[in-house]
Amino acid sequence: MSTLLRCLAIVAAVVLAALLLTSVSHAAAAWPQDGSPESALLDAANRSRAAVGLPGLQWDAALATAARQHALRMVEQNTLSHQFPGELPLQERTRQTGAHFSLIAENVAEGPSVLGLHTQWMNSPPHRANLLDRELNAVGIAVVQGGNELFAVEDFSAAVPMLGLDAQELQVSSQLAARGVRLVNATDDARKTCEMERGWAGQRPVNVIRYETSDLSRMPADIEQRVQGGKYRGAAVGACEAGGSAGFTRYRIAILLY
């Protein structure tokens, strides 16, 4: 490893599979100021992604806030780490600043020049993997001067929209309607069912499906197979709060099939 720069990288993810019973609007801010170290690293990251056919990373204010807090800690301690004593882990500190995500990753580094940081990251397999991860779509960056060195943090995420219950139900209902399933007016029953571990509320359905996911843009494949074929005359969709997820955003959905 170069004597001019030291760097560390981590990545954390949660896989939220559909669980059957019987499984981006993220924090936004203006682009970092032109000419700033953060802007230079963002541009360098997106040039590297474009060179391999990947879309650019979007700036996320919540991630940038978490990155700056951590960079300041590194300057204070005069060393690199992804978690100092008394500091929350990456997924929890980014959640506290308002980020919503299904995947989170971090690069940290120390060195004398901004572009030198990016060059060294790109020459290091774990850091390059974070920068070029096609699943990651958002980033927040902070660079803080510490003596003669720059301490830099890049916090990446697969950003997840933060949707209210109505919006969650509308997305899933639209997917069911597109597959020929008629929607019935039993949202309250479906919401109550969503909150239950077993059983159902209201009129007895033919089938109950409960699942959790971080991506409401598509229906889990096994559920899609079950609702196709015209065997159900109607469906109701209910959303409720998902359980603890260690900082990762997820949605909990119940579908009552009649």
Side-chain angles (χ1 to χ4, degrees):
M1 184 174 294
S2 169
T3 58
L4 298 179
L5 178 142
R6 296 183 298 125
C7 48
L8 298 171
I10 61 170
V11 61
V14 61
V15 178
L16 299 169
L19 301 176
L20 299 182
L21 178 75
T22 353
S23 160
V24 165
S25 172
H26 54 281
W31 226 248
Q33 185 176 356
D34 288 346
S36 68
E38 291 81 5
S39 177
L41 284 176
L42 177 62
D43 289 345
N46 283 339
R47 284 196 302 270
S48 294
R49 289 174 68 89
V52 294
L54 294 175
L57 297 164
Q58 297 299 308
W59 184 258
D60 188 302
L63 293 178
T65 298
R68 178 155 296 276
Q69 291 171 354
H70 188 65
L72 289 169
R73 280 182 179 262
M74 293 197 303
V75 170
E76 181 183 355
Q77 298 294 324
N78 194 32
T79 190
L80 299 182
S81 176
H82 289 294
Q83 184 180 5
F84 291 101
E87 185 182 28
L88 294 172
L90 172 63
Q91 65 267 29
E92 293 185 23
R93 64 178 185 259
T94 49
R95 180 182 59 82
Q96 282 201 346
T97 60
H100 304 287
F101 48 84
S102 60
L103 178 69
I104 192 81
E106 182 173 82
N107 287 348
V108 301
E110 170 190 352
S113 72
V114 173
L115 292 183
L117 298 174
H118 179 74
T119 299
Q120 292 293 334
W121 275 332
M122 288 298 291
N123 288 334
S124 166
H127 300 88
R128 181 185 177 91
N130 283 343
L131 281 158
L132 302 184
D133 190 328
R134 65 179 57 254
E135 294 186 54
L136 298 172
N137 56 23
V139 69
I141 303 170
V143 181
V144 177
Q145 185 85 37
N148 295 324
E149 295 291 285
L150 298 174
F151 289 80
V153 179
E154 290 182 323
D155 284 342
F156 307 90
S157 79
V160 174
M162 200 59 203
L163 304 174
L165 299 184
D166 290 342
Q168 295 174 41
E169 291 160 358
L170 179 60
Q171 273 202 263
V172 178
S173 296
S174 298
Q175 292 163 5
L176 289 170
R179 289 156 180 80
V181 180
R182 182 176 63 87
L183 280 303
V184 302
N185 186 18
T187 300
D188 288 344
D189 290 341
R191 284 189 177 182
K192 291 175 183 176
T193 300
C194 182
E195 295 171 350
M196 301 163 61
E197 292 300 322
R198 302 180 64 183
W200 61 86
Q203 178 186 349
R204 179 169 183 155
V206 176
N207 206 341
V208 177
I209 297 173
R210 294 183 182 88
Y211 68 99
E212 294 188 3
T213 183
S214 60
D215 183 5
L216 284 178
S217 67
R218 55 185 179 183
M219 190 172 293
D222 51 353
I223 296 176
E224 184 166 352
Q225 291 175 359
R226 296 180 68 173
V227 300
Q228 288 180 338
K231 63 183 294 187
Y232 300 108
R233 62 178 177 82
V237 177
C240 61
E241 296 298 327
S245 55
F248 295 94
T249 299
R250 61 179 181 177
Y251 307 105
R252 180 173 170 86
I253 301 294
I255 303 174
L256 304 180
L257 295 167
Y258 302 98

